[in-house]
Amino acid sequence: MATESYTPDEKDLSILRILQKDAKLSVRDIAGRINLSPTPTHERIRRMERLGIIKEYTTVLDRKKVGKGMTVICMVALNAHNKKTAGKFIEEVSRLKEVVEFYNISGDFDFMLKIVAAHMDEFHEFFVNVLSEIEGIGQTKSIFVMNSIKESHQIV
């Protein structure tokens, strides 16, 4: 990522809003929506990619339709608060495909994990045989999502 200082202007923000809703649109389509020609639109997109404003392009799936209908928020407190314990925990959890979001948080717990599973048995298997086997865990609290009210990846 470049160190170039840059703040997106209104045209850039318009591009970002469009891409967040449909990243498959062509540069020509995006350009038409923001009243700019394709070449400067393309240059703006490439600049935002180069600067890390646009981190990646991805596809949002319906978890239920791909067999991952259960969502669990798992709070984790480590049993020791030092770089080695935290670093090892972060390294191991970051590799787990079941963990789709992973945050270092403040408060009574140190980390929050968003875990997806097909059903309770699959989560239980993961929790008992994978997550709880990671060294350094002192306490956990699992919260089972009953219904998703809002999910969005749009931030501008």
Side-chain angles (χ1 to χ4, degrees):
M1 186 168 21
T3 58
E4 180 181 347
S5 177
Y6 181 71
T7 302
D9 63 15
E10 229 5 87
K11 288 282 188 198
D12 290 337
L13 292 174
S14 294
I15 291 168
L16 293 173
R17 286 183 196 104
I18 291 166
L19 286 172
Q20 287 177 118
K21 289 181 183 173
D22 187 356
K24 288 177 56 176
L25 287 174
S26 69
V27 171
R28 181 175 301 283
D29 289 335
I30 295 168
R33 292 181 185 196
I34 65 167
N35 297 318
L36 197 62
S37 64
T39 299
T41 300
H42 184 261
E43 289 169 0
R44 285 172 175 268
I45 292 169
R46 292 295 170 245
R47 183 178 195 186
M48 289 188 287
E49 290 171 344
R50 189 178 71 252
L51 294 173
I53 294 167
I54 298 173
K55 291 172 46 174
E56 67 181 319
Y57 296 91
T58 188
T59 302
V60 178
L61 305 177
D62 182 321
R63 285 192 302 276
K64 290 179 184 175
K65 291 181 180 178
V66 295
K68 297 293 181 184
M70 175 175 242
T71 302
V72 181
I73 305 300
C74 186
M75 313 296 274
V76 176
L78 299 180
N79 59 15
H81 293 92
N82 57 59
K83 287 182 183 180
K84 183 178 179 183
T85 302
K88 182 78 169 146
F89 179 78
I90 290 168
E91 182 183 315
E92 291 199 34
V93 171
S94 294
R95 288 190 292 231
L96 302 175
K97 66 179 175 31
E98 295 86 352
V99 177
V100 295
E101 294 181 37
F102 182 27
Y103 303 97
N104 182 209
I105 61 172
S106 64
D108 294 335
F109 292 90
D110 303 309
F111 296 95
M112 184 183 87
L113 291 62
K114 182 176 177 183
I115 301 164
V116 295
H119 43 68
M120 182 61 80
D121 290 341
E122 184 176 281
F123 171 74
H124 182 260
E125 173 78 17
F126 167 76
F127 184 82
V128 170
N129 296 315
V130 179
L131 187 62
S132 66
E133 291 296 314
I134 296 174
E135 192 175 323
I137 293 178
Q139 179 185 1
T140 63
K141 178 179 182 178
S142 295
I143 302 163
F144 299 90
V145 176
M146 294 172 34
N147 190 18
S148 177
I149 308 301
K150 178 181 179 181
E151 292 183 74
S152 177
H153 300 279
Q154 299 177 20
I155 59 173
V156 294

